[in-house]
Amino acid sequence: MDWAAAWTSQDIESYLNYYASDFTPEDGRTLSQWREYRRVRLSSPGTIQVVVSDLVVEMMGAGHAKATFTQIYQSDTYADRVKKTLLMKLEDSDWKITQELTQ
């Protein structure tokens, strides 16, 4: 999953480009607040590793999909393992994330 690779390499612009222009942050922030928060979070750790496993993609109609997977995150300051769901849409010939849900 290229999204996880961009996150792991701390390529902030590539990572943010995986999100749709109408992405709705789960935490209630505005999109611009969320983007700035993510910039800080991606540039703060010395290293990041994101592994996606058990990926299941389900088409939700024309131009919409849902990806569900286990995400294993590890940096030099924090680690976790969560179930994640990404709702996506086809935008300008690319799949973009419209919503991200963590269980």
Side-chain angles (χ1 to χ4, degrees):
M1 186 174 236
D2 292 340
W3 163 81
W7 191 356
T8 294
S9 66
Q10 297 173 279
D11 182 344
I12 297 166
E13 292 311 312
S14 292
Y15 170 82
L16 292 174
N17 282 333
Y18 284 98
Y19 291 84
S21 57
D22 61 348
F23 173 72
T24 304
E26 187 177 21
D27 61 10
R29 289 183 168 100
T30 66
L31 182 56
S32 60
Q33 289 170 332
W34 179 85
R35 284 169 125 2
E36 186 55 35
Y37 172 76
R38 294 307 295 160
R39 284 181 198 284
V40 170
R41 298 285 298 183
L42 265 70
S43 61
S44 294
T47 61
I48 294 175
Q49 182 176 14
V50 179
V51 175
V52 171
S53 66
D54 306 320
L55 175 64
V56 176
V57 178
E58 180 181 346
M59 295 307 296
M60 307 294 289
H64 293 274
K66 176 170 76 171
T68 306
F69 53 92
T70 299
Q71 172 186 293
I72 302 164
Y73 173 93
Q74 186 169 348
S75 73
D76 49 342
T77 59
Y78 179 77
D80 71 7
R81 178 188 189 107
V82 296
K83 293 284 188 184
K84 190 164 272 192
T85 299
L86 302 180
L87 301 180
M88 300 175 292
K89 71 175 182 179
L90 201 53
E91 183 179 281
D92 299 327
S93 303
D94 292 317
W95 285 101
K96 301 286 183 165
I97 301 164
T98 58
Q99 195 170 12
E100 189 172 84
L101 306 165
T102 304
Q103 293 119 17

